[in-house]
């Protein structure tokens, strides 16, 4: 089976009711990103940050995977599908995808603020218990923080993600403005003759100068077109 590697961003979850970050009315227009999603913001006001992510979790619990998520999961019958997502939602997993790498963390997980990448302290919240309250402590006695990669912090999963991209037979980019590194840099790991597709209703400036096949549609319609194209193409 051909290895289909997919890089997704906020646009993948737009049809599930999540606002993107940089579209008009996007999240970073309504919340100062440096206050709610940066390391310094966490140090300055951990309660504000935890409250912001409590709000996103509340949205996620009510949200459902959209047709685009479902189609990517269904494509596992024709391709060895590996998803690398910048999204912190769990919609790819809930749609049935089996190989998902989260570059920027996971919204339904929290961890120690003293030792955030130590698996011993990573805890998965449930729809019944999804809020972090001021003063909540992790098992090591430090304040509980979201298991999210804040701006100014390293992206521990970029290594495994780059290795995935190097093994791609087909590379697909869905719903990301490719503004944020190192995620946007993954395109440079795609081997020379591997076809690249980009699904986005708006034009996206893909770094580098390799040919990209644009599908100027939303995620659901775009993935349907892509699958149809791939099933006819002789790759
Ligand atoms: N289907 C597909 N793409 C869509 C849709 C849709 N229905 N609606 C919007 N888009 C596209 C937009 O045109 C845009 O190109 O999704 C992209 C969203 O871009 P951003 O809002 O910049 O989100 P993203 O690229 O995921 O941001 C990357 O930045 O703030 C950080 O950590 C955060 O992971 C995030 C990272």
């Amino acid at each position: 089976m051909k290895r289909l590697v997919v890089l997704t961003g906020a646009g993948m979850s737009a049809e599930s009711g999540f606002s993107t970050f940089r579209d008009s009315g996007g999240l970073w227009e309504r919340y100062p990103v440096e206050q709610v999603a940066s390391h310094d913001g966490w140090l300055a006001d951990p309660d504000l940050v935890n409250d912001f992510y409590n709000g996103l979790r509340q949205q996620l619990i009510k949200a459902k995977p959209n047709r685009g998520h479902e189609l990517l999961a269904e494509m596992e019958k024709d391709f060895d599908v590996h998803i690398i997502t910048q999204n912190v939602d769990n919609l790819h997993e809930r749609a049935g995808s089996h190989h998902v790498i989260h570059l920027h963390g996971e919204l339904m997980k929290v961890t120690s603020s003293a030792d955030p990448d130590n698996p011993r302290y990573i805890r998965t919240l449930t729809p019944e218990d999804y809020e972090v309250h001021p003063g909540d402590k992790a098992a090591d006695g430090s304040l509980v923080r979201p298991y999210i990669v804040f701006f100014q912090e390293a992206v521990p999963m970029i290594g495994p993600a780059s290795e995935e991209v190097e093994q791609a037979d087909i590379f697909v980019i869905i719903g990301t403005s490719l503004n944020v590194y190192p995620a946007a840099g993954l395109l440079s790991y795609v081997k020379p003759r591997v076809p690249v597709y980009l699904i986005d209703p708006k034009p996206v400036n893909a770094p580098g100068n390799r040919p990209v096949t644009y599908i100027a549609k939303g995620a659901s319609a775009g993935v349907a077109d892509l699958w149809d194209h791939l099933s006819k193409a002789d790759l």
Side-chain angles (χ1 to χ4, degrees), residues 9-12 14-15 20-23 28 86-87 104 151 174-180 199-202 204 217-219:
M12 183 78 226
E15 291 160 69
T20 60
F21 293 99
R22 296 172 183 82
D23 283 323
W28 297 150
Q86 298 171 85
N87 300 338
H104 296 160
F151 281 104
I174 309 175
T176 172
S177 61
L178 293 173
N179 267 307
V180 172
I199 299 171
D200 197 305
K202 284 191 268 177
V204 173
K217 291 189 175 176

Side-chain angles (χ1 to χ4, degrees), residues 112-114 121 135-144:
S112 146
S113 49
Y121 303 129
D136 282 358
K137 296 276 189 304
D140 63 358
S142 70
L143 271 183
V144 166

